[in-house]
Amino acid sequence: MNLLISMMFACGGDAIQAPAQAPAPAEAPTPAEAPAPQGGSGAAGGVYASDTWDPIQDGIPEIDESNTRTTETGLTIVTIAEGTGAAPAKGKNVSVHYHGWLASDGSLFDSSSKRGKPLDFPVGVGMVIPGWDEGILSLKEGGKARLRIPANLGYGDRGAGGKIPPGADLVFDVWLVGASS
């Protein structure tokens, strides 16, 4: 069962909940197969400057961090590329590609690119970790960002799936591929 789908659907309780059936992992898409964002990329430079969503690796890739802000909750959002499409609305479905690493050692614990399919979920209603809800709501369709998620906005003291230890800070590179209005 895919680790992040299982983890991302944790609803803030002590138990990690998963959908009845998770998709089987797929081969990582080649750059030519990776979907392009709607409305262009407008990349801020770095490893994700093109319309591809690779690499998939251990070690957090370096990016241009000149466009960084930290929210009142402690979430740090680094804009990689401004989106030009619709902003997601709370409770509406979004489609997000992502890579997730442990901040402590840079180990990759999950990536939607490995399955070749973005994660779809209603945003802002607790279906994913709080750092994701807050971060995704700050983007526009086609936007890419790095979310530095402190443990209290992630999986807290419980950790998740054996790959995310209790108290772990997380780093996600996210790409808002679609947002329904």
Side-chain angles (χ1 to χ4, degrees), residues 31-56:
E33 294 170 330
Q38 302 298 312
S41 66
V47 71
Y48 299 122
S50 69
D51 284 343
T52 63
W53 198 234
D54 282 331
I56 303 169

Side-chain angles (χ1 to χ4, degrees), residues 113-127:
S113 292
K114 286 185 177 181
R115 287 182 307 288
K117 180 180 175 190
L119 178 66
D120 300 319
F121 62 95
V123 69
V125 296
M127 294 299 293

Side-chain angles (χ1 to χ4, degrees), residues 35-121:
Q38 302 298 312
S41 66
V47 71
Y48 299 122
S50 69
D51 284 343
T52 63
W53 198 234
D54 282 331
I56 303 169
Q57 62 189 22
D58 278 342
I60 303 167
E62 289 186 28
I63 61 169
D64 176 357
E65 296 200 15
S66 60
N67 192 358
T68 300
R69 67 184 174 93
T70 301
T71 69
E72 290 181 16
T73 63
L75 174 68
T76 299
I77 302 169
V78 180
T79 301
I80 298 171
E82 292 286 343
T84 58
K90 187 175 180 180
K92 297 293 184 175
N93 287 330
V94 295
S95 185
V96 178
H97 263 300
Y98 62 88
H99 301 305
W101 297 271
L102 295 177
S104 61
D105 66 4
S107 59
L108 181 73
F109 58 83
D110 198 13
S111 172
S112 63
S113 292
K114 286 185 177 181
R115 287 182 307 288
K117 180 180 175 190
L119 178 66
D120 300 319
F121 62 95

Side-chain angles (χ1 to χ4, degrees), residues 133-148:
D133 271 339
E134 183 179 356
I136 299 303
L137 283 169
S138 75
L139 300 175
K140 289 183 180 177
E141 192 172 18
K144 298 176 184 178
R146 175 162 291 168
L147 306 177
R148 294 184 191 280

